[in-house]
């Protein structure tokens, strides 16, 4: 029985059976793969919509084409941002490059704002000076294909975010999800302009797209600002950390709990109260065990714990920057 630990696997055992039940996810690889797919999708959508606009002259299609062109710029920014953010810490960036994702989201929000202004201006002009929509069949076909491509991309980005959270990818997904809803509005506008002989509805659809994009840009800007300004992690994270630390009865309390988000990483700092009679080795062991429980509750966290020689915490846990 004692030799069973070192025994060779049975000949019938497959490599898959011998592998760990759940291998750790390579977050950087997941982000790289999904951003590459996003760039390819943007290029395909631009080609399709440019053809549809040339054939139909629809302002709704023009709005969608302009948005897709900015999508490509934003996707390229995300493509490079996730690679830069995944780079390890160096002498100039001791906390890593995680805020590169927030910078990418900031660039994306600016591009979306610009897109919304351009589309809104063009739509207003067409409302006052309507122009007919021609070749509606081609335009509708292209919009339907665009909806299918965008739906698939948004679904795959959602799967990637479940595996490896990333602000840059989340921004890209929010931006394509807005495009998906906007494409439905564009479809209505093209049909109205081509077959219902109401070109004003086509221009109105373009205006709705502009408003939708503006609202999405505001939300993305807020997320980027939260990380750039070191906003605290959600209260649920602080509660999970507190519960994990205080599950050890040797820790009398914790205080000065601070959290902040940097890209996909969460930085956590705190003071814990330990018996002053403990040796340095004993205190160190307790702190290391607490760090392990925090990592289990918040995967990928960067944790710093300072032990204080007190039996009781002088204050309640406090979160924030």
């Amino acid at each position: 029985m004692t030799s069973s630990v070192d025994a060779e696997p049975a000949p019938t055992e497959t490599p898959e059976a011998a592998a760990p039940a759940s291998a750790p996810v390579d977050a950087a690889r997941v982000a790289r793969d999904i951003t590459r797919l996003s760039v390819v999708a943007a290029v395909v959508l631009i080609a399709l919509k440019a053809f549809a606009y040339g054939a139909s002259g629809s302002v709704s299609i023009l709005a969608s084409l302009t948005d897709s062109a900015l999508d490509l710029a934003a996707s390229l920014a995300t493509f490079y941002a996730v690679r830069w953010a995944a780079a390890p810490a160096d002498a100039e960036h001791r906390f890593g490059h995680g805020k590169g994702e927030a910078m990418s989201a900031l660039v994306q929000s600016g591009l979306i704002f610009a897109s919304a202004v351009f589309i809104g201006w063009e739509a207003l002009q067409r409302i006052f000076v309507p122009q007919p929509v021609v070749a509606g069949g081609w335009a509708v076909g292209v919009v339907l294909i665009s909806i299918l491509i965008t739906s698939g991309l948004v679904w795959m980005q959602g799967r990637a975010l479940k595996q490896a959270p990333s602000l840059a990818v989340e921004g890209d997904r929010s931006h394509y999800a807005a495009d998906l809803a906007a494409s439905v509005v564009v479809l209505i506008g093209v049909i109205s302009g081509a077959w219902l002989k109401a070109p004003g509805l086509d221009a109105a659809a373009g205006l709705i797209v502009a408003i939708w994009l503006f609202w999405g840009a505001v939300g993305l800007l807020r997320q980027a600002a939260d990380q750039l300004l070191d906003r605290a992690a959600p209260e649920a994270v602080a509660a999970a950390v507190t519960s994990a630390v205080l599950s050890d009865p040797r820790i009398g309390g914790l205080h000065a709990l601070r959290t902040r988000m940097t890209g996909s990483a969460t930085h956590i700092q705190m003071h814990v109260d330990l018996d002053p009679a403990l040796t340095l080795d004993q205190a160190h062991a307790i702190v290391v065990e607490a760090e392990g429980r925090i990592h289990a509750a918040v995967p990928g966290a960067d944790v710093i714990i300072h032990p204080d020689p007190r039996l009781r915490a002088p204050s309640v846990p406090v979160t924030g920057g």
Side-chain angles (χ1 to χ4, degrees):
M1 296 296 290
T2 58
S3 62
S4 60
V5 175
D6 299 324
E8 293 291 333
T12 57
E13 188 175 13
T14 63
E16 290 78 4
S22 57
V25 175
D26 185 346
R29 181 187 60 79
V30 171
R32 287 195 302 268
D33 290 346
I34 198 63
T35 53
R36 186 181 298 114
L37 181 62
S38 176
V39 170
V40 172
V43 171
V44 172
L45 290 173
I46 287 173
L48 288 171
K49 292 176 183 179
F51 169 77
Y53 176 65
S56 68
S58 165
V59 69
S60 295
I61 294 292
L62 174 62
S64 188
L65 171 60
T66 304
D67 182 42
S68 290
L70 291 177
D71 285 349
L72 177 59
S75 294
L76 286 170
T78 304
F79 179 85
Y80 290 108
V82 297
R83 285 155 177 77
W84 190 71
D90 54 34
E92 290 78 26
H93 305 87
R94 304 300 294 176
F95 288 92
H97 302 77
K99 287 191 177 181
E101 293 197 7
M103 291 297 296
S104 169
L106 193 64
V107 170
Q108 287 186 24
S109 64
L111 290 172
I112 298 171
F113 273 127
S115 175
V117 170
F118 172 78
I119 293 169
W121 176 254
E122 187 68 22
L124 287 173
Q125 287 185 315
R126 294 291 184 95
I127 287 175
F128 293 107
V129 185
Q131 296 184 20
V133 176
V134 297
W138 283 107
V140 168
V142 167
V143 173
L144 288 174
I145 294 173
S146 299
I147 288 174
L148 289 175
I149 293 174
T150 307
S151 298
L153 177 61
V154 168
W155 178 74
M156 295 188 72
Q157 287 174 323
R159 289 189 60 189
L161 287 170
K162 288 180 180 178
Q163 292 180 290
S166 164
L167 178 61
V169 175
E170 184 178 346
D172 211 31
R173 183 178 183 272
S174 298
H175 168 186
Y176 276 105
D179 288 353
L180 183 59
S183 293
V184 175
V185 176
V186 168
L187 183 62
I188 295 171
V190 172
I191 292 174
S192 300
W195 288 300
L196 301 182
K197 305 305 178 184
L201 292 179
D202 172 57
L207 187 59
I208 292 173
V209 172
I211 295 171
W212 186 282
L213 289 173
F214 184 86
W215 183 255
V218 170
L220 186 56
L221 181 61
R222 287 175 178 170
Q223 293 183 61
D226 284 347
Q227 288 206 12
L228 292 173
L229 298 177
D230 288 336
R231 182 171 180 172
E235 287 298 323
V237 173
V241 169
T242 301
S243 177
V245 171
L246 297 182
S247 63
D248 187 343
R250 297 172 296 178
I251 298 178
L254 66 86
H255 56 282
L257 173 60
R258 300 193 298 174
T259 62
R260 65 184 177 93
M261 302 293 295
T262 303
S264 58
T266 304
H267 295 269
I268 301 170
Q269 300 178 20
M270 74 187 73
H271 291 234
V272 296
D273 303 298
L274 302 178
D275 187 340
L278 292 172
T279 66
L280 179 59
D281 284 342
Q282 290 172 328
H284 175 73
I286 293 173
V287 167
V288 169
E289 290 176 16
E291 289 176 349
R293 293 192 299 275
I294 293 173
H295 287 140
V298 187
D302 184 345
V303 184
I304 298 177
I305 300 179
H306 177 80
D308 284 341
R310 289 193 291 261
L311 292 176
R312 294 180 180 274
S315 59
V316 296
V318 177
T319 62

